[in-house]
Amino acid sequence: MDSGRAEAFSDGVFAVAITLLVIDLLPIGSGPDLNAHVLLHHWPEYAAYVVSFLTIGIMWMNHHTILGHVSRVDRPLLALNLFLLLGIVAIPFPTALVAKHLTGPGGAVAAVTYGLVMIAISFGFDGIWVYVVTHAAALGAPLPREALWQSIPRFTAGLFVYVVGTLIAAFASAPAAVAIYGLLAVYYLFEHLPSPAGGDAPAGADGGDGGPGGLAG
Amino acid sequence: MDSGRAEAFSDGVFAVAITLLVIDLLPIGSGPDLNAHVLLHHWPEYAAYVVSFLTIGIMWMNHHTILGHVSRVDRPLLALNLFLLLGIVAIPFPTALVAKHLTGPGGAVAAVTYGLVMIAISFGFDGIWVYVVTHAAALGAPLPREALWQSIPRFTAGLFVYVVGTLIAAFASAPAAVAIYGLLAVYYLFEHLPSPAGGDAPAGADGGDGGPGGLAG
Amino acid sequence: MDSGRAEAFSDGVFAVAITLLVIDLLPIGSGPDLNAHVLLHHWPEYAAYVVSFLTIGIMWMNHHTILGHVSRVDRPLLALNLFLLLGIVAIPFPTALVAKHLTGPGGAVAAVTYGLVMIAISFGFDGIWVYVVTHAAALGAPLPREALWQSIPRFTAGLFVYVVGTLIAAFASAPAAVAIYGLLAVYYLFEHLPSPAGGDAPAGADGGDGGPGGLAG
Amino acid sequence: MDSGRAEAFSDGVFAVAITLLVIDLLPIGSGPDLNAHVLLHHWPEYAAYVVSFLTIGIMWMNHHTILGHVSRVDRPLLALNLFLLLGIVAIPFPTALVAKHLTGPGGAVAAVTYGLVMIAISFGFDGIWVYVVTHAAALGAPLPREALWQSIPRFTAGLFVYVVGTLIAAFASAPAAVAIYGLLAVYYLFEHLPSPAGGDAPAGADGGDGGPGGLAG
């Protein structure tokens, strides 16, 4: 299958998933009384919305970077991509848990669930990246074998932060964990990656820097 | 009409339908108490989500394979495609039934409804495939007439499994039926189809193997 | 603006609107008891789903046919298109009214509302078509002025049926009106239009037959 | 990254966001009694739907105009675009607040919240436009530096109206504020912009007139 088709479908899923996040906000203010206090009281909903929105947005960028290396996709890559999207589409669920329980007794369970979904998505990105690098020729991807080893630090970095966040959620503070998830997204949003506009840059270096690294690696 | 436009519209419908599956998960944990037991108690929702997600994903791949044969679409093919999408878009409904009733007294009815929708979708795929093969010249599809006969075993296979699953749901066990639906999806996900990258392969063989065969045939 | 961009956006809106129709089905069977009687009792929901699904599907085809004539869009055409989409996106609302009230005392109001939305959409299609024909040169559409007059019978036909259906809903029977809406969709689905694959056919004739005619004209 | 990909993703988000507006309408008429009075009583929902629909539609046009200038996007532009989409996707939330509270005691808070979201989106458009003009060479945009200064009047105009509307909502009348939001959308919808079809027009002038000007500037 031409990779453009798989990308277009994935883009559609990302676009719908990121937009469905607003559904969690709609019940706010549906009671008879509406005032500024009521609206501000729901700050966990807004925080969860912003964190998940930025996270899905960056994951979309990473997904695009990875699939941008290949010129065609085969059935195993489609299967791996489907497992990744299974996690992406689920994001509104832990987001809703965090939105409703962040400051209550269920906050730890909510933030741990959020972290576990992110860890699963990180493994999904890693799996796709490993498959792309190890099947570069068949997929029409101009990636040297070393791209895999070069990208290991980034692989580990994002995953490590999510594991730390999940542990903090479990044993220390749910709001602190959510703040970590959000800071991770903001960090990768502004991190100045090597210019993807530079078509002359070796593909391996680009893959190692912009590929599964980033938020989801 | 150019087939690309019909594919893009269908891709959009598939992408939205697969993403709307998360809506069934959003009410989980909306009560005042949230703990691991509450979350794990909802395993039928997660199971239904995963089974339907993989199923829609594979159906998207099959849809793409079939429409990939044609270079233009006519009004009857658009009509058949619309009936197929009518079934695809409905999937979140039986998914919600299974999610809510799988382990209760309504489990049989829920799993039978799920199976019936899948059987209807299978017929939808079969109808499109038969139309494409029998109107190959008008649709610009390089398919020999024999592609139809060669694909009969696969036609029957997927449909047969869904019929068996539906009967098991009706007379034996709803969870067992849902497990069969899920295993069918996983089987077709990992089945190593003849390389679609091999443009030299005869189109008929490709159609017979990768076309309406697969999950929905 | 290139017309492809406007078409892609419109296609996305059509795809989401047609898929959101399933939301009306999700509450079915959410009570504690689920059996075949409960499911069958909700036949108005299924009927409303099918009628609106086919209707939006055919409107998508008509929209594609009309915009297929032009090679670029200007601001007034974008504005007219936005008003049309305003009606398309609203369709799940009267659909929900019909689904809930078809067989009850509110059936007439529900079916009248449905008809009024369809009439408004018909005028929306007519407005776009008139604009396209009267600005054919500026929009890069190879349409003769006569295409407008040739298409008047079809303009009037679809609109006439919706007016009749709305009157029947108001003064006679809501289910009969919904049946008329559905039959109109099925009729246009299977009507054998002059082959759009025939690129040699005069554009005017194609526009007159396949353009704003059809369901929404 | 090629700008087409970022545009396609953004288009998808706009299309889903504009279509989700109908969700606010679905609960109307869900009670046992349905008559014309019940339906007409919900006019604030319809008004909020129309105003937000036209607003998102025009913002989509503006977004397309701005990104139409560039031929590639870099990471900062993607980040700015993500912040803009964060606001666009949130629009159904203040829309729901206005729909539910416009004529009640919470109307002022609802309309102020609506205005604040629009002001934030205006700043988002301004940020993207300033970035595009000041990085025109790197983004492959044929925009002279003067395009920035030429567009200042339009920058200020849209923002000014939203600030005025928000103040009117806070201190005078919520319905009047919503009417202003709606009139602003209608004004920009019909305003006859310099023909974007005129490819000979200097890009700077086009950017200054059709870019961040318009509704969101």
Side-chain angles (χ1 to χ4, degrees):
Chain A
M1 189 188 288
D2 178 67
S3 68
R5 197 94 225 162
E7 278 196 85
F9 177 72
S10 305
D11 282 2
V13 171
F14 273 98
V16 181
I18 207 171
T19 314
L20 286 183
L21 289 170
V22 75
I23 287 184
D24 280 345
L25 302 183
L26 296 183
I28 297 174
S30 60
D33 293 322
L34 179 70
N35 53 54
H37 180 73
V38 166
L39 286 183
L40 294 176
H41 177 71
H42 285 279
W43 67 265
E45 269 93 342
Y46 312 136
Y49 168 75
V50 171
V51 169
S52 288
F53 193 98
L54 296 180
T55 300
I56 295 180
I58 292 163
M59 285 174 173
W60 170 73
M61 292 184 208
N62 285 339
H63 188 268
H64 180 72
T65 302
I66 295 179
L67 284 200
H69 287 293
V70 308
S71 52
R72 54 184 170 273
V73 295
D74 55 15
R75 195 80 172 201
L77 183 54
L78 285 175
L80 288 170
N81 190 50
L82 203 56
F83 277 112
L84 175 65
L85 295 178
L86 183 74
I88 301 288
V89 167
I91 288 180
F93 168 50
T95 304
L97 292 180
V98 166
K100 286 168 200 151
H101 296 279
L102 184 58
T103 56
V109 169
V112 165
T113 305
Y114 194 99
L116 291 177
V117 170
M118 294 299 149
I119 290 169
I121 292 172
S122 296
F123 279 117
F125 270 109
D126 294 353
I128 289 183
W129 179 240
V130 169
Y131 186 83
V132 165
V133 175
T134 55
H135 297 71
L139 300 169
L143 286 167
R145 197 83 182 194
E146 304 85 61
L148 193 58
W149 310 112
Q150 288 166 0
S151 56
I152 284 185
R154 288 184 163 268
F155 265 61
T156 331
L159 184 57
F160 176 76
V161 174
Y162 276 125
V163 170
V164 168
T166 305
L167 291 172
I168 288 176
F171 299 110
S173 159
V178 172
I180 288 171
Y181 304 148
L183 287 173
L184 185 65
V186 171
Y187 171 74
Y188 280 116
L189 197 60
F190 287 109
E191 185 201 32
H192 199 68
L193 292 174
S195 168
D200 297 335
D206 180 41
D209 286 335
L215 181 59
Chain B
M1 188 189 288
D2 179 66
S3 69
R5 196 94 226 161
E7 278 195 85
F9 177 73
S10 306
D11 281 3
V13 170
F14 273 99
V16 181
I18 207 171
T19 313
L20 285 184
L21 289 171
V22 76
I23 287 184
D24 281 345
L25 302 183
L26 296 184
I28 298 174
S30 60
D33 293 322
L34 179 70
N35 53 54
H37 180 74
V38 166
L39 287 183
L40 294 176
H41 177 70
H42 285 278
W43 68 265
E45 268 94 340
Y46 313 136
Y49 168 75
V50 171
V51 170
S52 288
F53 193 97
L54 296 180
T55 299
I56 296 179
I58 292 163
M59 284 173 173
W60 170 73
M61 292 183 208
N62 284 339
H63 188 269
H64 181 72
T65 302
I66 295 178
L67 284 199
H69 287 293
V70 309
S71 52
R72 54 185 172 273
V73 295
D74 55 15
R75 195 80 173 201
L77 185 54
L78 284 175
L80 288 169
N81 190 51
L82 202 56
F83 276 111
L84 175 66
L85 295 178
L86 183 75
I88 301 287
V89 167
I91 288 179
F93 167 51
T95 304
L97 292 180
V98 166
K100 285 168 200 152
H101 296 278
L102 183 58
T103 56
V109 170
V112 165
T113 306
Y114 194 99
L116 291 177
V117 170
M118 294 299 148
I119 290 170
I121 291 172
S122 295
F123 280 116
F125 270 109
D126 293 352
I128 289 183
W129 179 239
V130 169
Y131 186 82
V132 165
V133 175
T134 55
H135 296 72
L139 300 169
L143 285 168
R145 197 81 182 195
E146 304 85 63
L148 192 58
W149 311 113
Q150 287 167 359
S151 57
I152 284 185
R154 288 185 163 268
F155 265 62
T156 331
L159 183 58
F160 177 76
V161 174
Y162 276 124
V163 169
V164 168
T166 304
L167 291 172
I168 288 177
F171 299 110
S173 158
V178 172
I180 287 172
Y181 303 148
L183 286 173
L184 185 65
V186 171
Y187 171 74
Y188 279 115
L189 197 59
F190 286 108
E191 186 202 31
H192 199 67
L193 291 174
S195 168
D200 297 335
D206 181 41
D209 285 335
L215 181 59
Chain C
M1 188 190 287
D2 178 67
S3 68
R5 197 94 225 161
E7 278 196 84
F9 177 73
S10 305
D11 281 2
V13 170
F14 273 98
V16 181
I18 207 171
T19 314
L20 286 184
L21 289 170
V22 76
I23 287 184
D24 280 345
L25 303 183
L26 296 184
I28 297 174
S30 60
D33 293 322
L34 179 69
N35 52 54
H37 180 74
V38 166
L39 287 183
L40 294 176
H41 177 70
H42 285 277
W43 67 266
E45 269 94 341
Y46 313 136
Y49 168 76
V50 170
V51 170
S52 288
F53 193 98
L54 296 180
T55 300
I56 296 180
I58 292 164
M59 285 173 172
W60 170 74
M61 292 184 209
N62 284 340
H63 188 268
H64 180 73
T65 301
I66 295 179
L67 284 200
H69 287 294
V70 308
S71 52
R72 54 185 172 273
V73 295
D74 55 14
R75 195 78 172 203
L77 184 54
L78 285 175
L80 288 169
N81 190 50
L82 203 56
F83 276 111
L84 175 66
L85 294 179
L86 182 76
I88 301 288
V89 167
I91 288 178
F93 167 51
T95 304
L97 292 180
V98 166
K100 285 169 200 151
H101 297 279
L102 184 59
T103 56
V109 169
V112 166
T113 305
Y114 194 98
L116 291 177
V117 170
M118 294 300 148
I119 290 170
I121 292 172
S122 295
F123 280 117
F125 270 109
D126 293 352
I128 288 183
W129 179 241
V130 169
Y131 186 83
V132 165
V133 175
T134 54
H135 296 72
L139 300 169
L143 285 169
R145 196 83 181 195
E146 304 84 64
L148 193 58
W149 311 111
Q150 287 167 1
S151 56
I152 283 185
R154 290 187 161 266
F155 265 63
T156 330
L159 183 58
F160 176 76
V161 174
Y162 276 125
V163 169
V164 168
T166 305
L167 291 172
I168 288 177
F171 299 110
S173 158
V178 172
I180 288 171
Y181 303 148
L183 287 173
L184 185 64
V186 171
Y187 171 74
Y188 280 116
L189 197 60
F190 286 108
E191 186 203 30
H192 200 68
L193 291 174
S195 167
D200 297 335
D206 181 41
D209 286 335
L215 181 59
Chain D
M1 188 189 290
D2 178 67
S3 67
R5 196 94 226 161
E7 277 195 85
F9 177 72
S10 305
D11 281 2
V13 170
F14 273 98
V16 182
I18 207 170
T19 313
L20 286 184
L21 289 171
V22 75
I23 288 184
D24 280 345
L25 303 183
L26 295 185
I28 297 173
S30 60
D33 294 321
L34 179 70
N35 52 54
H37 180 73
V38 165
L39 286 183
L40 295 176
H41 177 70
H42 284 278
W43 67 266
E45 268 94 341
Y46 313 136
Y49 168 75
V50 171
V51 169
S52 288
F53 193 97
L54 296 180
T55 300
I56 296 179
I58 292 163
M59 286 172 171
W60 170 73
M61 293 183 207
N62 285 340
H63 188 268
H64 181 72
T65 302
I66 295 179
L67 284 200
H69 287 294
V70 309
S71 53
R72 54 185 171 272
V73 296
D74 55 14
R75 195 80 173 201
L77 184 54
L78 284 175
L80 288 170
N81 190 50
L82 203 55
F83 276 112
L84 175 66
L85 294 178
L86 183 74
I88 300 289
V89 167
I91 288 179
F93 168 50
T95 303
L97 293 180
V98 166
K100 286 170 200 151
H101 297 278
L102 183 58
T103 56
V109 169
V112 165
T113 306
Y114 195 99
L116 292 177
V117 170
M118 294 300 148
I119 289 170
I121 292 172
S122 295
F123 280 117
F125 270 108
D126 292 353
I128 288 183
W129 178 241
V130 169
Y131 186 83
V132 165
V133 175
T134 55
H135 296 72
L139 300 169
L143 285 168
R145 197 81 182 194
E146 305 84 62
L148 192 56
W149 311 112
Q150 287 166 359
S151 56
I152 284 185
R154 290 186 162 267
F155 265 61
T156 331
L159 184 57
F160 177 76
V161 174
Y162 276 125
V163 170
V164 168
T166 304
L167 291 173
I168 288 176
F171 299 110
S173 158
V178 172
I180 288 171
Y181 304 148
L183 287 174
L184 185 64
V186 171
Y187 171 74
Y188 280 116
L189 196 60
F190 286 107
E191 185 202 32
H192 199 68
L193 291 174
S195 168
D200 297 334
D206 180 41
D209 286 335
L215 182 59

